[in-house]
Amino acid sequence: MAEIPDISDTERWILETTLKERYDRDLELQLADAEIRLHPSDRELTSCPVVFWHDSQGCNFVVFKTGDRNYRCQFFYRGYQQYGTGVNEYDDLSECVVSLLQAQADHAAEEHGDIESKRS
């Protein structure tokens, strides 16, 4: 399998712009690599570029670049409190980040009793 390209300047701009719209300020983005299984049946882990940030409420966000124009995402509070959007993979970074932010906002609203839980 070909190596997954790093986060590009354009992708970083998309992330920074989307987050500034959400939080009305710049957030510090951390770039890293993570080893994940691209497919559940994979025995080997694949190194993927990752973008990580956290908000002032203690929520952490991760976007994994799993291919050229392929992304996965999740948010978490603690290691055992990990959440996703319900979509396994996106081919549009903007859609990925907006869906992630919306899923986290919905989760926070459910936790505070502002909206009815979808789990009910």
Side-chain angles (χ1 to χ4, degrees), residues 26-109:
D26 291 323
L27 293 180
E28 182 180 354
L29 298 179
Q30 301 290 323
L31 300 178
D33 291 306
E35 290 187 329
I36 64 171
R37 285 188 177 88
L38 292 180
H39 307 284
S41 61
D42 286 352
R43 291 179 184 254
E44 300 295 319
L45 300 175
T46 301
S47 181
C48 298
V50 174
V51 179
F52 169 85
W53 71 93
H54 63 270
D55 68 13
S56 61
Q57 305 301 311
C59 187
N60 302 288
F61 299 84
V62 182
V63 174
F64 302 88
K65 185 173 182 178
T66 57
D68 190 29
R69 296 185 46 87
N70 294 102
Y71 311 92
R72 295 182 189 168
C73 58
Q74 68 180 41
F75 66 95
F76 62 94
Y77 297 91
R78 293 179 182 82
Y80 62 89
Q81 292 178 304
Q82 298 178 18
Y83 307 94
T85 63
V87 175
N88 186 45
E89 197 162 78
Y90 293 88
D91 61 6
D92 182 280
L93 181 57
S94 295
E95 182 182 357
C96 177
V97 175
V98 168
S99 296
L100 178 62
L101 294 170
Q102 186 62 56
Q104 188 276 329
D106 289 349
H107 174 80

